[in-house]
Amino acid sequence: MRSLGLGNPKNVKPLPEEAAVELGAEMLGEGIVFSVAVGTIVFEYWRQSRKEEQKEDVQTEGIRSLNERVSELEILLEQQDARLREMNRIVVALPSSSPKK
């Protein structure tokens, strides 16, 4: 009370027992509701973050799979390129057959 500039309390009336019990029950009820609300919020946050992690894991796996496929296709392309060069070499080495008249 001093920090608010109100001074020291001089006269505090005693609270009747019935009012004190009612006030205590109300505070306990509010505390329980608040605790449940906080628990629900924390649980939802945890659940959403876990869901995001799973989604990221799926995307990462998809990217990894695509990278592997690209690597496989690069190897296949190099093999086909080597075959084409070999075929061109063979075709160039063939004797040219000119038609006789």
Side-chain angles (χ1 to χ4, degrees):
M1 299 291 271
R2 276 187 238 159
S3 63
L4 295 175
L6 299 174
N8 287 335
K10 296 180 182 164
N11 232 353
V12 177
K13 291 183 185 179
L15 197 56
E17 188 176 334
E18 186 177 305
V21 168
E22 187 176 319
L23 183 60
E26 187 176 326
M27 288 177 66
L28 181 64
E30 292 292 326
I32 291 172
V33 168
F34 181 75
S35 299
V36 168
V38 168
T40 302
I41 290 171
V42 168
F43 174 74
E44 279 299 314
Y45 176 79
W46 173 77
R47 190 175 67 87
Q48 286 297 328
S49 64
R50 198 175 91 209
K51 187 177 179 181
E52 273 302 312
E53 286 176 7
Q54 289 174 345
K55 188 177 179 180
E56 287 175 8
D57 289 344
V58 167
Q59 288 177 344
T60 302
E61 179 62 29
I63 290 171
R64 188 190 62 75
S65 174
L66 288 174
N67 284 336
E68 286 178 4
R69 184 69 179 138
V70 166
S71 296
E72 291 171 0
L73 290 174
E74 285 174 348
I75 292 170
L76 183 62
L77 181 63
E78 288 174 8
Q79 290 172 347
Q80 288 178 349
D81 189 41
R83 287 180 189 157
L84 273 174
R85 281 189 303 233
E86 180 65 21
M87 293 173 114
N88 282 336
R89 187 188 63 76
I90 292 171
V91 167
V92 168
L94 286 176
S96 63
S97 56
S98 57
K100 294 182 180 178
K101 292 186 181 181

